Amino acid sequence: MALDELYREVILDHYRNPRNRQPLGAPGAHADGHNPLCGDEISLDILVVDDTVTEVSIVGRGCSISQSSASMMSEAIKGKTRAEIAELTGRFKAMMDIDTEGDAGLDPDRPGSVLGDLEALQGVRKFPVRIKCANLAWTTLEEALGEAK
Amino acid sequence: MTNLSHLRRDFPILRREVEGHPVIFLDSAASAQKPIPVLDAMDRFYRSQYANVHRGAYRLSQEATELYEDARRRVARFINAGSPDEIIFTKGTTTALNGLSSSWGYDHLEAGDRIVLSMMEHHANVVPWQLVAKRTGAELVYVPLTTGYDIDLDALRSTIDSRVKIVSLTGMSNVLGTIPPMQQISDIVRAQSEAVLIVDGAQLVPHVEVDVQTLGADFLAFSAHKMLGPTGIGVLWGKPELLEEMEPWEGGGEMISTVDLYESTWAPVPQKFEAGTPPIAEAIGLAAAVHYLEEIGMNAIRSHDLDLTEYALHRLGEVPDLVQYGPTDIKSRGGVVSFTLGDVHPHDIATILDSRGISVRAGHHCAKPLMADLGVTATARASFHVYNGRDDVDALIEGLHEARSLFGLSEG
Ligand SMILES: Cc1ncc(COP(=O)(O)O)c(C=O)c1O
């Protein structure tokens, strides 16, 4: 197992300098995520205006994978519509799915362009016990989007 | 220095490789590996001796019953119980503590009574007491730890009074390795209350010679799987007069004397507490594990643990950014070391070590109250048993240096 495929620089950067930690400007939808096995925690607030996520606030505690995934997700979803986010979530989860062949989660035409930094998390798939960590923010996001209805 | 490295060949799993590395198993506090004599005893039983116990009038059942009761005698001798009847086979420590809380606890607690625990208990010695506290209106009181990570005896003295009916404490912390001074604790409990003293021996019994005549406890619970034995079986030892008085917490076959439509009477202790078909092969495996430990000698195991722990603490002390959690006095701790490493999360530490074939535990170790008390959400933990050596500690240290470098922590 190649550890340097897991602990990419971008991941460590997001882990140490998580983005979008500031509280929302206006009350939005909230969801908490937590992984009882390892204690990773995520608290997510989003503001949805006309079907578009206009603001994201995300804070948490946990391992580099869960926290960097949360930070990168917060950047990736800002300004996106629900439909775009659903697509993004689908791609991310496919990227994390051990059963997906090759890079099926990634955009075949312009690799790297859809998930952006998030693609750095590809390596997690080789470490099955850590997939849950990477997915935590995304599962929490689905809950928050449900709240925002 | 006690060298037990010749024992490694008794553990077939240690010949396995993970990702091209030999297995370096440093998670025995979660569950220990099994030596060939344990595997063989269980295999032999299933292949050539198997039948249910206490039931058949036929030869096989009679033999199985003898093996099962032999196991009880062996365990009784191992902890120096007064009689094999003081040994109740349960599914494990968790089941034993739940049995105690729901039977002894429920029958002896009233609103306003107190149950005293320490801040370093495993959830198995916390949640059962929360359940019975809720049902009875009793109150839980936690004794704090000293800055040296041991039970604060002054705080204990000021906590124990006539309201306290149950004191339930770990014999050895699965996170800190602390082995609290149980006889002293027992003296305090006896002098200041009528409470029963329960010892969670899940970590203690596999590593330290325990003599229930001098331990100072009324009940002792432990699990076979942490003492080189199989899963699915553990032991509740109790003082005979208390076991006599205690009601069963489960009903069914094997535990009755007479059964009428609306009422039944109980079989004598210990059958009273062993409803249903017991874990027979597991009892036989446990007996083989006890025999194996006795052959090595619990004193040799203790000095091996101390040697490894001292070495590990020394080597860990050389790793920059590493913080250890546990007593500095080596004599009051067992073979468990918990630590954090800068901002490298314990899970990341575990993943990095795993890629070198090293198994350590990362997380809250089923001791969330303690984690909160320590001000951390998780630690990494390495723990030892007879098959570990200084070379395993060296491999751990190398892995930690790799973790530091992957996370870009600077030297010195
Ligand atoms: C101190 C302590 N108590 C209780 C338990 C629970 O033991 P079991 O899971 O075998 O019932 C453990 C095991 O993790 C432990 O370390």
Side-chain angles (χ1 to χ4, degrees), chain B residues 81-102:
Chain B
S83 140
D85 294 345
E86 297 167 17
I87 302 298
I88 296 159
F89 287 131
T90 68
K91 269 193 326 195
T93 306
T94 303
T95 313
L97 293 170
N98 275 282
L100 280 177
S101 75
S102 62

Side-chain angles (χ1 to χ4, degrees), chain B residues 29-30 92-95 97 122 124 170 172 174 200 202-203 223 225-226:
Chain B
T93 306
T94 303
T95 313
L97 293 170
H122 187 280
T170 189
M172 169 174 155
N174 63 313
D200 169 357
Q203 298 294 340
S223 300
H225 68 97
K226 294 185 204 274

Side-chain angles (χ1 to χ4, degrees), chain B residues 16-38:
Chain B
R16 217 194 116 167
E17 295 203 336
V18 170
E19 303 288 333
H21 299 273
V23 168
I24 296 179
F25 192 73
L26 291 174
D27 196 20
S28 297
S31 201
Q33 299 298 346
K34 320 304 173 200
I36 290 168
V38 169

